[in-house]
Amino acid sequence: MRPFFPGRERGRPVFVAHRGASDRALENSPAAFALAVEGGADMIEFDVRLSSDGVPVVFHDDRTGRTAKENLAVERTPAARLRTVRLKNGEKLPFLSDVLEIVGGVVPVNIESKTSGGIAAAAKALPKAGYRGELLLSSGLREECLAARDLLPGIPCGLVTRRPSASDLAFCLRHGLSSIHPARRLLTVLRLRNVAASRIPFLPYTVDDPAEAFALIAAGAAGVFSNRALTLREEWTRR
């Protein structure tokens, strides 16, 4: 099993900036990523979808309306058109190449593929951008995790799942995945025990309450995804 975060200080939890510093700027926006870098985030997570012509776009939803000024179906729209879209904070909708440039390898990033072919597109984009920073790949699609193992075998990959089932855990172990990322709201006591017993590093999402985050870490979580990652890390340090 590959370590999900090779440079992590042993025994210290990882507070992953979910869609950038999304408590301080619009999620998945250039500003959110810049603030997370400026704050020295442990890791920055963001989502990748594909334009209709196969260019990786950093966006969570399948349509742009929630966080942008226009409502377009991302995967039905060509990259040239998406480049004209403005987010609700006035910034341009970012592409993977834009985010890699903003981060510049300063802090680790977690690229989560939201669609089939996302990992393959990232595998092409990374060398093209000359990116040398630390990476974690992930997806809720098992075929994307397998693509990561085939195309980028040297980069750790985690499985995103709502409920960490026995099948999910077996899949991670069978294919040497680095971590599992379950939804914290669906982590029952039994599921939490089963994940911890598997010895697969797990990072629940999305955890903004310090008491809840620290309880999950005490129960074995390697860290959490949080919209308040920088604040949680500060509170952990003060404990």
Side-chain angles (χ1 to χ4, degrees):
M1 184 179 297
R2 299 163 179 80
F4 78 96
F5 190 175
R8 180 168 70 107
E9 179 184 338
R10 186 175 180 83
R12 190 178 75 79
V14 179
F15 297 103
V16 184
H18 183 245
R19 306 177 197 171
S22 51
D23 59 335
R24 306 180 187 191
L26 181 67
E27 66 176 60
N28 277 337
S29 69
F33 298 129
L35 286 169
V37 172
E38 181 182 330
D42 290 344
M43 181 180 286
I44 299 171
E45 181 267 355
F46 55 85
D47 309 286
V48 165
R49 291 187 177 275
L50 299 179
S51 65
S52 63
D53 44 352
V55 181
V57 184
V58 175
F59 210 81
H60 177 271
D61 301 354
D62 58 355
R63 299 189 68 91
T64 63
R66 185 171 61 85
T67 57
K69 295 181 179 181
E70 299 179 72
N71 188 22
L72 303 174
V74 176
E75 296 181 12
R76 296 180 185 176
T77 308
R81 176 68 176 89
L82 289 171
R83 290 190 186 280
T84 70
V85 173
R86 293 283 176 171
L87 300 174
K88 289 183 177 178
N89 68 353
E91 295 184 298
K92 291 183 178 181
L93 186 156
F95 285 68
L96 177 56
S97 57
D98 301 322
V99 178
L100 295 176
E101 183 176 356
I102 291 169
V103 177
V106 175
V107 299
V109 298
N110 169 204
I111 301 174
E112 180 182 340
S113 173
K114 305 294 287 187
T115 187
S116 180
I119 293 294
K124 293 179 181 178
L126 290 166
K128 186 175 181 179
Y131 197 76
R132 295 291 182 269
E134 195 169 353
L135 293 164
L136 168 64
L137 303 171
S138 66
S139 183
L141 304 173
R142 291 190 180 189
E143 63 267 28
E144 285 294 281
C145 294
L146 295 179
R149 297 277 55 80
D150 291 340
L151 299 173
L152 296 165
I155 298 177
C157 182
L159 176 68
V160 181
T161 181
R162 287 173 55 78
R163 299 176 179 85
S165 65
S167 175
D168 289 333
L169 298 175
F171 177 82
C172 291
L173 291 170
R174 184 165 63 251
H175 297 287
L177 298 189
S178 63
S179 53
I180 189 166
H181 310 162
R184 56 96 178 170
R185 289 184 179 179
L186 300 177
L187 268 179
T188 62
V189 172
L190 179 59
R191 288 178 182 142
L192 188 58
R193 287 175 180 168
N194 289 342
V195 176
S198 74
R199 302 180 68 85
I200 301 169
F202 68 99
L203 289 89
Y205 69 89
T206 306
V207 188
D208 293 339
D209 178 69
E212 183 180 15
F214 301 160
L216 286 166
I217 290 164
V224 296
F225 292 88
S226 178
N227 298 313
R228 304 178 63 233
L230 301 179
T231 299
L232 289 186
R233 188 181 62 187
E234 290 168 0
E235 295 201 23
W236 176 269
T237 303
R238 287 196 297 266
R239 291 171 81 244

